[in-house]
């Protein structure tokens, strides 16, 4: 959607792609000439974009634009970051301007009823079929589409057709054909209404026609060169968009490769069959763009934006492909819902979720040359495969806000210079919410290591040093311990219970064949016993995530 909006802006302002400073995660930054004529052009194109979004999304997606002129003072007295911040303030103030102008400012109560000619099913079909069977919203006339769903009930391939809105149809088609292919989406300008119409997404090998402009998703050089031989106008009025679209594939009943569904993905788990939604975003990205760059120039902003966009789209596809391999190598599977700008949104198997984020962080650290000022915060939200993903997304957003509020970083007085280490990961956010527990990202390796060791010890066939019951009991006490350290003095009973249970039921003298493992086992017991009511041991902050993960891994 934002790529189409960018294309509309460029087309009406008669600018090229070189004018784009940043385009990511729903944010657009364009540098244009400061001529008076451009102000009128911007007003006109803004109206076109607003009307297009209103018709397609009925105020669910809004458009705010801020226009700021570069100061006439010498460059040394201002930076590009100052211009960006002033424009951001303008944009935020106009975020809901269309809704306000149409429905509030006019004071016409009739306008609150969104009038339109709606789709009516033919024959004796149920009146509920008037609604999109995915969104549950009424469908405007001319936007109704049919999509075919496959289901494997009783090992028999069955097909059912449902009625959906045009937007759902387009997204369904993109999701069905986009993995590992180059896609072309044409956009038509309807001059009678001044609106834009998105055409059906097509594989590049099947694309024909001459729309007003087109978006080419994940362009492959070989595919482009091959098509240009027979379609010389393919690149005319075309814009490119790299998207992170990696998904693990599987074979259906007809041995045809298809996207792995969530139910199949849960079977890839070790132990409990849960999925994990991973949400992450770069910490302080807006502040970094506004005042965190040493060189506040147009090029420094453009370089930072384009490099991050490269990592979270093209680079991420390669990373996930290598991590999973073909068809879920080593039982790893992941579905990339979204990645771009400063946000990522994955679904993966619960037992491999921490490992995925750890490996992603390592690659991101390499990509940023170990810059301590650029880091990501994550939330992990576990769910059953049949839970509506919209609900899980809301939970994940709340987890994301929790981790941001807990690891807030250093504070500084307004107007004062930022501390030199203000953005450093050691002093700032850079944390993850794991099993409802805030953990700094540099401790994810510890959680993974302890989880693997404890799982191994529990599952030893001959006289295991730990039992599932012991881990479950420690897990329950770890929750009481967390409540105590959060201010609930009634939960102090956790301390004598934990000490008594460990000394009574867990024996450090178990005969390990590996002396390193024997030392690790003694270290585990020692660190647990060192936790007391006034002092935290190294393992205290990660005890709940570790025991939670072990409980799930050892579930039959």
């Amino acid at each position: 959607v934002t790529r189409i909006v960018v294309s509309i802006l460029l087309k009406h302002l008669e600018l090229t792609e070189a004018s784009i400073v940043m385009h990511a995660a729903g944010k657009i930054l364009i540098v244009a000439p400061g001529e008076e004529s451009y102000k009128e052009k911007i007003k006109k194109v803004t109206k076109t974009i607003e009307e297009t979004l209103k018709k397609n999304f009925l105020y669910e997606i809004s458009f705010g634009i801020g226009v700021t002129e570069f100061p006439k003072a010498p460059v040394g007295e201002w930076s590009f970051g100052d211009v960006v911040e002033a424009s951001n303030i303008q944009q935020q103030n106009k975020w809901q301007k269309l809704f306000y102008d149409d429905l509030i400012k006019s004071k016409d109560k009739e306008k609150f009823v969104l009038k339109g000619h709606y789709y009516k099913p033919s024959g004796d079909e149920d009146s509920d079929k008037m609604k999109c069977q995915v969104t549950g919203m009424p469908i405007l006339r001319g936007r109704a589409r049919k999509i075919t769903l496959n289901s494997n009930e009783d090992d028999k391939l069955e097909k059912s057709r449902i009625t959906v809105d045009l937007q759902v149809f387009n997204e369904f088609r993109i999701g069905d054909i986009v993995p590992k292919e180059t896609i072309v989406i044409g956009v038509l300008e309807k001059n009678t209404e001044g609106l834009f119409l998105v055409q059906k997404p097509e594989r590049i090998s099947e694309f024909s026609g001459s729309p007003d402009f087109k978006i080419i998703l994940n362009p492959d050089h070989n595919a482009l060169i091959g098509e240009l031989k027979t379609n010389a106008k393919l690149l005319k009025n075309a814009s490119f968009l790299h998207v992170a679209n990696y998904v693990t594939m599987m074979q259906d009943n007809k041995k045809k490769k298809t996207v792995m569904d969530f139910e199949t993905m849960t079977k890839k788990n070790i132990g409990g069959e849960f999925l994990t939604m991973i949400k992450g975003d770069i910490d302080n990205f807006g502040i970094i763009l506004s005042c965190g760059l040493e060189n506040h120039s147009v090029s420094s902003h453009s370089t930072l934006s384009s490099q991050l966009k490269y990592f979270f789209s093209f680079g991420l596809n390669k990373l996930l492909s290598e991590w999973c391999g073909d068809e879920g190598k080593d039982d790893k599977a992941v579905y990339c819902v979204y990645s771009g700008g400063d946000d990522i949104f994955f679904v993966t198997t619960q037992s491999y979720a921490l490992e995925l984020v750890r490996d992603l962080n390592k690659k991101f650290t390499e990509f940023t040359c170990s810059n301590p000022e650029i880091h990501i915060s994550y939330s992990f939200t576990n769910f059953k495969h049949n839970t509506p993903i919209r609900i899980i997304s809301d939970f994940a957003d709340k987890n994301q806000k929790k981790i941001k509020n807990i690891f807030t970083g250093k504070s500084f007085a307004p107007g004062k210079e930022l501390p030199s280490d203000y953005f450093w990961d050691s002093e700032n956010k850079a944390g993850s919410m794991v099993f409802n527990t805030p953990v700094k990202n540099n401790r994810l390796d510890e959680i993974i290591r302890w989880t693997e060791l404890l799982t191994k010890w529990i599952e030893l066939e001959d006289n295991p040093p730990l039992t599932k019951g012991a881990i479950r009991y420690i897990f329950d006490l770890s929750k009481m311990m967390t409540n105590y350290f959060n201010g609930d003095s009634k939960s102090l009973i956790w301390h004598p219970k934990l000490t008594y249970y460990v000394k009574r039921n867990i024996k450090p003298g178990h005969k390990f064949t590996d002396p390193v493992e024997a030392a690790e086992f003694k270290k585990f017991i020692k660190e647990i016993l060192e936790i007391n009511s006034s002092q935290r041991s190294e393992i205290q902050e990660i005890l709940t995530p570790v025991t939670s993960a072990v409980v799930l891994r050892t579930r039959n």
Side-chain angles (χ1 to χ4, degrees), residues 508-547:
H510 179 84
K511 300 297 183 183
F512 285 91
T513 55
D514 184 351
V516 175
E517 278 195 56
E520 291 282 10
F521 186 63
K522 288 180 180 178
K523 180 182 177 183
F524 173 72
I525 296 173
K526 180 174 179 289
E527 289 195 12
I528 285 182
L529 291 175
E530 283 180 353
I531 306 174
N532 59 50
S533 57
S534 60
Q535 178 182 343
R536 304 186 181 197
S537 75
E538 284 187 18
I539 205 170
Q540 184 269 328
E541 292 180 353
I542 62 172
L543 188 58
T544 298
V546 167
T547 52

Side-chain angles (χ1 to χ4, degrees), residues 209-259:
S210 53
D212 292 289
F213 58 88
K214 56 189 85 76
I215 312 297
I216 301 180
L217 291 180
N218 286 355
D220 175 77
H221 290 139
N222 293 330
L224 286 176
I225 293 170
E227 291 302 315
L228 283 170
K229 293 176 181 177
T230 55
N231 185 0
K233 295 182 179 180
L234 178 66
L235 299 184
K236 185 178 180 181
N237 296 325
S239 300
F240 299 109
L241 180 63
H242 283 287
V243 294
N245 63 343
Y246 180 85
V247 291
T248 303
M249 307 295 285
M250 68 176 189
Q251 289 187 344
D252 62 18
N253 290 349
K254 295 184 178 180
K255 303 299 181 183
K256 179 184 175 184
K257 272 196 171 184
T258 184
V259 175

Side-chain angles (χ1 to χ4, degrees), residues 13 15 19 30-35 38 42 70:
L13 298 179
L15 299 173
S19 295
I30 293 176
V31 173
E35 301 167 8
Y38 269 83
I42 289 170
F70 283 66

Side-chain angles (χ1 to χ4, degrees), residues 9 11 23 29 37 48 66 91 99 125 129 180 199 218 250 254 271 279 342 367 385 422 471 483 516:
L9 283 168
K11 179 181 172 68
H23 162 226
L29 193 61
S37 62
T48 299
Q91 179 213 4
F99 184 88
E125 289 186 83
K129 297 290 177 65
K180 299 183 181 178
Q199 292 183 307
N218 286 355
M250 68 176 189
K254 295 184 178 180
K279 274 200 170 186
D342 61 341
F367 185 78
H385 74 272
Y422 180 78
I471 289 296
N483 292 337
V516 175

Side-chain angles (χ1 to χ4, degrees), residues 463-466 500-512 518 521-522 525:
N463 189 26
L466 276 175
Y500 175 80
Y501 185 85
V502 171
K503 289 188 174 182
R504 174 99 179 169
N505 296 285
I506 302 177
K507 307 299 181 185
H510 179 84
K511 300 297 183 183
F512 285 91
F521 186 63
K522 288 180 180 178
I525 296 173

Side-chain angles (χ1 to χ4, degrees), residues 85 117 135 162 168 203 217 227 230 350 380 481 525 537 545:
E85 189 59 27
H117 299 288
T135 66
I162 63 172
V168 174
R203 292 179 175 87
L217 291 180
E227 291 302 315
T230 55
Q350 183 278 321
F380 295 79
M481 174 182 65
I525 296 173
S537 75

